[in-house]
Amino acid sequence: MSQRVERVAGEVRAILGEVLARDEIKDPRVRGAGLITVTHVRISGDLRHARALFTVHDADAATLDRVRQGLDHASGYFRQAIARRLRMKVAPAVKFEVDKVFEPDERVEQLLREEAAAHPQPAPHPEAPPASAAAEGDEDGGDDE
């Protein structure tokens, strides 16, 4: 990828993030979703098409699909925002996709939560001295004659 394409992709990512952070999208599928993060933008060599990868913190698959539909519906607004901020002959048309790179991490966290719920740790005995307190009594090394 050329430096220009990479630079434009970074600028488009920043613009998309800014529009979402300012809550400019009025679509209820997007507005009520929570924190939406644009993780990556890929732009075609002719700078006419962009694919924006996004994720929503703590969202299930149905919510992610609903948000994607809302973002795709607002793609014209995003294109206008890009055209206003960047001086280009043609602003790229943006298509949104769910970024699946975080799914394995979320699955591991879910499994750990399920395991912790299935096997709760016993509470420590309140009368037992902590292990560090027992070791502190032996620190003086014996007789100091």
Side-chain angles (χ1 to χ4, degrees):
M1 197 174 351
S2 74
Q3 287 182 348
R4 180 168 188 234
V5 172
E6 288 180 24
R7 189 178 70 242
V8 171
E11 291 290 328
V12 168
R13 181 178 170 266
I15 292 167
L16 296 176
E18 184 179 314
V19 168
L20 290 169
R22 288 184 178 180
D23 211 18
E24 294 179 27
I25 304 301
K26 307 299 183 205
D27 192 313
R29 295 173 288 192
V30 175
R31 184 165 262 194
L35 179 63
I36 302 170
T37 304
V38 178
T39 56
H40 193 74
V41 173
R42 295 185 183 122
I43 296 192
S44 63
D46 63 359
L47 304 176
R48 292 181 182 267
H49 303 280
R51 281 188 3 210
L53 299 162
F54 74 95
T55 187
V56 180
H57 187 64
D58 289 338
D60 59 357
T63 302
L64 288 170
D65 189 51
R66 191 172 60 243
V67 171
R68 184 195 52 75
Q69 290 172 1
L71 291 172
D72 278 341
H73 184 73
S75 64
Y77 184 85
F78 285 113
R79 190 173 192 178
Q80 287 177 350
I82 293 166
R84 281 193 307 266
R85 291 172 176 90
L86 296 181
R87 296 202 170 163
M88 296 174 57
K89 193 179 261 185
V90 177
V94 182
K95 187 88 172 148
F96 289 89
E97 294 179 15
V98 176
D99 192 349
K100 299 188 185 305
V101 76
F102 298 108
E103 284 183 2
D105 294 339
E106 292 173 4
R107 179 71 179 138
V108 168
E109 287 180 20
Q110 178 186 1
L111 289 171
L112 289 173
R113 283 192 299 268
E114 289 172 2
E115 183 67 22
H119 304 289
Q121 295 293 324
H125 195 317
E127 294 177 13
S132 61
E136 288 176 11
D138 294 335
E139 284 184 12
D140 63 349
D143 295 357
D144 289 336
E145 292 181 33

